[in-house]
Amino acid sequence: MEDILTRFRDYCEKPYERAAQVKATSKTKIIGCLPMYFPEEIIHAAGALPVTLFGSDEPITLGDGHMMTNACDQVRSSFDSLLKGKYDFLDGIAAIYVCDQVRFYLEVWQLDHPVDFFHQMWRPYKMDSSTQVFFRSELERLISALEEFTGTKITTEALQASIRLYNESRTMMRKLNNLRKDHPGIISASDMTHIVASSMLIPREEHNELLGQLLAMLELKEAPTGKKQRIIAVGHPCSMPETEVLDMIEANGMAIVDDDFFTGGRYFSKDVSASGDPVDAFIDFYVNAIPCTTYHYADTWIKPGKSYSPYADYVIDMVKQGQAKGIVVLKEMYCDPYDMEFVMMKNRFEEEGIPYISIITEHGPGPLEAIRTRVQAFEETLRFM
Ligand code: SF4
């Protein structure tokens, strides 16, 4: 089992190595996707390999000369990787405007470093039936562009097969998540993150095979003994959380039993329907997506004085379902959508009497000692609840 976990970790440590190998040994086109929520299945159905671009752990040396230093790490680190040639293996780019920072980044990228295929698309911020016609046209525009670029007709059958493959992946990830809810600590939060993130970096068929083997072994593994405080971790809507911080939290008397990271629960909570019209299925997936800080909920703004945050309520429900005692919010510095929502989130957590701690990181965990003291104090609070 350790061998499989090591492979998932390695894929995250050398995030683009496997994709570059695929390109070198086959004619597969590699399309880089910027987080978050890109419909990878459509790229897969065109016979190409979607690879999520997370940037890298290296110090940002070139990116800061081109991007504002108050842009989020995801954007700055990714731009740094681009300038250092780490994305040279890509045949194209596809991304959704999830926030202004991504949009700005893409505009600079397209002007300064054009690639053969550069597809940007809108995803409505206000998710309701009034935006469905527009979103359909955006999805159809993506399908046509990919068909033209790859020379492959994207049929309904191919799309449904790709959706089934990705649903299989999400189903296994949910099983894994349920295992840690039932047996806290059976899989560490950092391994969970590596497992989900690596699925976005290598061919999904390979990842499903490995994940299936891991699940079979975990189902036979004895549950860890010893009592830890059950907690939920949320944050990092686009990037991987710092695994050193996750390990430190779990080494200090707490077990993360569920999360809402992009490289976690947010990625696998829902399936895309594999029956009927695939474009309808994607529209349904996005319009009825789990609440997100990058969506616009009119009620949040038109009722002053009222704590209203569908995202906070989603997290509170996760706390209840997971029988957790508290929430760790891992915030990526300069993520505007998350910062703005956090004001409403903490109001709702306080109204519900749920203890929380907010830890802010930026391109690496920084000195862990200061965080450790706060984490230990938080665990003590939970112990006496
Ligand atoms: S982390 Fe936040 S600011 Fe950065 S790209 Fe994602 S949503 Fe935008």
Side-chain angles (χ1 to χ4, degrees):
M1 190 168 80
E2 197 46 42
D3 288 354
I4 299 179
L5 290 172
T6 303
R7 282 183 70 180
F8 287 131
R9 280 176 218 137
D10 287 348
Y11 287 132
C12 294
E13 266 162 37
K14 297 173 217 130
Y16 313 118
E17 195 174 273
R18 180 69 191 114
Q21 277 171 2
V22 169
K23 179 167 171 151
T25 54
S26 69
K27 289 197 173 126
T28 306
K29 289 197 184 323
I30 315 288
I31 309 287
C33 304
L34 284 190
M36 54 178 103
Y37 304 139
F38 200 86
E40 298 159 283
E41 296 92 329
I42 298 179
I43 297 175
H44 182 272
L49 174 63
V51 174
T52 299
L53 305 179
F54 287 114
S56 89
D57 291 340
E58 284 181 16
I60 299 173
T61 51
L62 299 180
D64 282 352
H66 296 252
M67 305 297 287
M68 304 163 295
T69 48
N70 63 347
C72 73
D73 178 42
Q74 166 61 27
V75 161
R76 283 169 51 234
S77 171
S78 196
F79 202 76
D80 192 66
S81 294
L82 170 71
L83 295 174
K84 287 174 178 165
K86 291 183 190 296
Y87 296 161
D88 286 355
F89 69 99
L90 295 175
D91 294 289
I93 300 296
I96 291 179
Y97 293 145
V98 292
C99 69
D100 285 349
Q101 296 197 31
V102 161
R103 194 173 152 205
F104 175 60
Y105 169 32
L106 287 167
E107 281 173 2
V108 177
W109 185 340
Q110 190 174 23
L111 283 173
D112 287 357
H113 302 269
V115 286
D116 290 349
F117 178 78
F118 204 105
H119 192 89
Q120 304 166 65
M121 61 186 278
W122 290 95
R123 179 215 63 190
Y125 296 103
K126 184 178 159 206
M127 304 302 266
D128 64 21
S129 54
S130 68
T131 55
Q132 291 185 21
V133 175
F134 169 69
F135 195 42
R136 169 177 288 280
S137 70
E138 282 297 89
L139 288 165
E140 286 171 349
R141 191 167 64 82
L142 169 68
I143 291 170
S144 303
L146 278 167
E147 285 180 336
E148 193 181 329
F149 179 62
T150 60
T152 302
K153 176 86 188 138
I154 302 177
T155 62
T156 297
E157 293 71 28
L159 270 173
Q160 287 173 336
S162 297
I163 291 171
R164 276 195 296 276
L165 178 76
Y166 280 71
N167 282 350
E168 190 189 328
S169 166
R170 291 184 276 250
T171 301
M172 285 194 279
M173 291 173 191
R174 284 196 294 272
K175 272 192 191 161
L176 199 58
N177 204 40
N178 286 337
L179 269 179
R180 73 170 172 169
K181 267 192 228 170
D182 293 343
H183 310 292
I186 197 159
I187 182 114
S188 71
S190 54
D191 277 332
M192 192 78 198
T193 294
H194 288 134
I195 290 165
V196 180
S198 59
S199 75
M200 308 178 202
L201 300 169
I202 68 171
R204 192 61 56 129
E205 296 82 349
E206 289 175 20
H207 194 273
N208 281 2
E209 175 70 34
L210 275 179
L211 185 49
Q213 290 173 20
L214 178 71
L215 261 178
M217 291 176 196
L218 274 174
E219 277 163 354
L220 298 175
K221 189 181 165 188
E222 243 172 68
T225 52
K227 183 158 170 50
K228 288 190 164 192
Q229 309 301 329
R230 298 169 69 95
I231 58 162
I232 300 296
V234 301
H236 283 264
C238 287
S239 54
M240 284 180 68
E242 310 300 344
T243 49
E244 295 92 334
V245 175
L246 297 177
D247 288 341
M248 192 253 281
I249 290 167
E250 295 204 307
N252 278 281
M254 291 176 273
I256 296 171
V257 294
D258 204 352
D259 73 61
D260 182 55
F261 300 132
F262 170 58
T263 55
R266 176 153 292 273
Y267 187 71
F268 56 71
S269 290
K270 278 190 70 178
D271 281 345
V272 178
S273 171
S275 57
D277 175 16
V279 175
D280 280 343
F282 284 115
I283 292 171
D284 179 63
F285 178 81
Y286 283 93
V287 170
N288 298 305
I290 56 177
C292 177
T293 56
T294 61
Y295 293 154
H296 174 66
Y297 301 99
D299 283 357
T300 308
W301 304 105
I302 59 177
K303 292 183 183 156
K306 185 173 180 294
S307 308
Y308 178 80
S309 164
Y311 179 70
D313 288 344
Y314 177 74
V315 175
I316 290 165
D317 188 53
M318 193 181 280
V319 170
K320 291 176 182 164
Q321 299 293 329
Q323 296 165 17
K325 280 187 165 178
I327 304 165
V328 174
V329 184
L330 295 180
K331 287 173 69 192
E332 179 159 323
M333 195 179 277
Y334 305 128
C335 173
D336 306 333
Y338 213 89
D339 281 347
M340 286 165 77
E341 190 82 16
F342 187 64
V343 178
M344 269 88 69
M345 283 163 67
K346 65 189 183 64
N347 286 348
R348 287 291 296 119
F349 297 163
E350 284 160 16
E351 281 168 8
E352 295 286 326
I354 302 173
Y356 65 91
I357 180 175
S358 155
I359 298 170
I360 303 175
T361 57
E362 195 209 7
H363 200 63
L368 281 178
E369 275 318 307
I371 302 176
R372 194 189 319 274
T373 307
R374 293 181 59 222
V375 163
Q376 287 169 340
F378 182 63
E379 190 272 336
E380 255 183 63
T381 311
L382 301 183
R383 227 184 300 155
F384 295 108
M385 286 190 62

